[in-house]
Amino acid sequence: MLEVNPLPLPRVARSDSEAGLSIAEAARRTGVSVHTLRYYERAGLVVTPVGRTAGGRRRYQQLDLDWIVICTKLRATGMPIKAIRRYAQLVSTGRGNEQERLALLEAHRAEVTAKLAEIQENLRLIDHKIDVYRGRLAAGDADQLWAPGSPADVR
Amino acid sequence: MLEVNPLPLPRVARSDSEAGLSIAEAARRTGVSVHTLRYYERAGLVVTPVGRTAGGRRRYQQLDLDWIVICTKLRATGMPIKAIRRYAQLVSTGRGNEQERLALLEAHRAEVTAKLAEIQENLRLIDHKIDVYRGRLAAGDADQLWAPGSPADVR
DNA sequence: CTAGGATTTCGAGCGTGCTCGAAGTCAATC
DNA sequence: GATTGACTTCGAGCACGCTCGAAATCCTAG
């Protein structure tokens, strides 16, 4: 767990609405395209509204970036946009819905582990085929152990 | 290949073009919808043309089913339709391209293992969050260890 | 022979998650 | 002020992998 870091604010006036990173810089730091950043915002994935300058430009704070990175990680596990939106809603609503957040995460976790198991299981088929082909090639093309029209296994 | 049967040749018992399973039965046995079976065929995923009755109905043999199951397993690891088509082409072309088949499988294997690693890595975030929420709920809602506006960690 | 269910082809539609483009705004520099 | 480039909104477009539908045909039961 991270420690809360209460001190590091004295430098700049924090309520300055111009403070923060441009969308291009936020994209660079999170590894997400500016298009996708805006899409995520439109899709309701943000917990707290991204700040804006007087002129309407987005200004990203560290918290925004952190949340976006969390979103990308959830996406990387296959969590659908809708589920992330729901989770974001729960988080932004604040305390009192921890039970539902937990349920959402647990449900997704179950899907991920099931998917992992499925992939791993089917990866064995690929490994097996790779072994077969390596064996065939090592033995030389002409020397076929199996007849043509042979078991599906050798395909 | 099947023989055209314009003349009465009632003798050859098993090259009967009516033999084999209906598409509905093939769907039932492979766990793939009839729509998808036809789609896979259109998409060029089949190694050998599925047989037809005189009336034009598909008749699936065991080899066809086996291949379809292989396709579903490759799909389950995330192999794109295009790659499966390429692999099917290589297989149906026959001997002499084992090197390319192997390369295709190895390339896909690399993608799968990378994807697995990524999912597993990001699953840790989910596990961590689940732990946090379980801890929070076990400690009682009112007893928050962290302040509101706390680190992204507790979201 | 007729009814009706299964199957055919092939194009269209759908859900997901971006990705792009047009037209306009903002802001820094000349 | 004018130019230039980053940024804005919002709808459209795209890639993928199915999924569906319409109209015609096949085949079996009655």
Side-chain angles (χ1 to χ4, degrees):
Chain A
M1 320 292 162
L2 299 176
E3 278 292 297
V4 178
N5 195 346
L7 44 111
L9 304 177
R11 274 303 158 89
V12 180
R14 297 307 296 164
S15 51
D16 184 353
S17 74
E18 302 292 310
L21 304 174
S22 72
I23 192 169
E25 184 61 18
R28 202 189 59 74
R29 295 202 190 180
T30 58
V32 173
S33 77
V34 297
H35 289 295
T36 300
L37 282 179
R38 288 191 281 246
Y39 164 67
Y40 280 2
E41 199 175 318
R42 261 197 291 178
L45 265 52
V46 297
V47 238
T48 46
V50 175
R52 298 287 181 131
T53 67
R57 269 80 198 284
R58 291 174 179 83
R59 281 298 172 268
Y60 290 83
Q61 309 303 320
Q62 189 57 47
L63 272 177
D64 299 321
L65 302 189
D66 292 344
W67 178 253
I68 289 159
V69 168
I70 288 173
C71 288
T72 64
K73 291 182 176 183
L74 293 176
R75 285 289 305 124
T77 63
M79 184 181 281
I81 295 289
K82 277 183 185 174
I84 302 180
R85 172 165 56 221
R86 179 68 188 138
Y87 184 58
Q89 284 170 349
L90 292 171
V91 169
S92 65
T93 296
R95 280 201 261 157
N97 57 26
E98 282 81 359
Q99 194 72 63
E100 191 175 348
R101 294 188 213 175
L102 178 57
L104 189 156
L105 292 174
E106 285 176 332
H108 179 60
R109 202 200 115 90
E111 298 209 341
V112 174
T113 54
K115 187 72 179 170
L116 277 176
E118 188 191 4
I119 294 175
Q120 279 158 344
E121 169 60 28
N122 292 309
L123 182 58
R124 291 175 41 206
L125 171 74
I126 295 171
D127 283 340
H128 175 65
K129 285 184 177 299
I130 286 175
D131 281 351
V132 169
Y133 281 119
R134 280 187 181 148
R136 276 216 232 176
L137 289 166
D141 280 344
D143 186 5
Q144 297 290 312
L145 290 177
W146 301 271
S150 42
D153 197 54
V154 302
R155 292 253 172 104
Chain B
M1 287 299 150
L2 300 176
E3 297 191 3
V4 182
N5 195 358
L7 301 175
L9 281 176
R11 233 177 46 75
V12 185
R14 281 307 93 185
S15 57
D16 183 352
S17 75
E18 303 293 312
L21 304 174
S22 72
I23 192 169
E25 183 61 19
R28 201 188 61 73
R29 296 203 190 179
T30 58
V32 173
S33 77
V34 297
H35 289 298
T36 301
L37 282 179
R38 288 191 281 245
Y39 164 68
Y40 279 2
E41 198 175 318
R42 262 196 292 177
L45 264 52
V46 296
V47 240
T48 47
V50 174
R52 300 286 182 132
T53 67
R57 269 81 198 284
R58 290 174 180 83
R59 281 297 172 266
Y60 289 84
Q61 309 302 321
Q62 188 58 46
L63 272 178
D64 299 320
L65 301 189
D66 292 343
W67 179 254
I68 290 160
V69 168
I70 288 173
C71 289
T72 64
K73 290 182 176 184
L74 294 176
R75 285 289 305 123
T77 64
M79 184 181 280
I81 294 290
K82 278 183 185 173
I84 302 180
R85 172 165 56 220
R86 179 71 188 136
Y87 184 58
Q89 283 170 350
L90 292 172
V91 169
S92 65
T93 297
R95 280 202 260 158
N97 57 25
E98 281 81 0
Q99 194 72 63
E100 192 175 347
R101 293 189 214 175
L102 178 58
L104 189 155
L105 292 174
E106 284 175 332
H108 180 59
R109 202 200 115 89
E111 298 209 341
V112 173
T113 54
K115 187 71 180 172
L116 276 175
E118 189 191 5
I119 294 175
Q120 277 159 345
E121 169 59 29
N122 291 309
L123 182 57
R124 290 176 43 208
L125 171 74
I126 295 170
D127 283 340
H128 175 64
K129 287 185 177 298
I130 286 175
D131 282 350
V132 169
Y133 281 119
R134 280 189 180 145
R136 276 216 232 177
L137 288 166
D141 280 344
D143 184 5
Q144 298 289 311
L145 291 177
W146 301 273
S150 42
D153 196 55
V154 303
R155 292 257 170 102

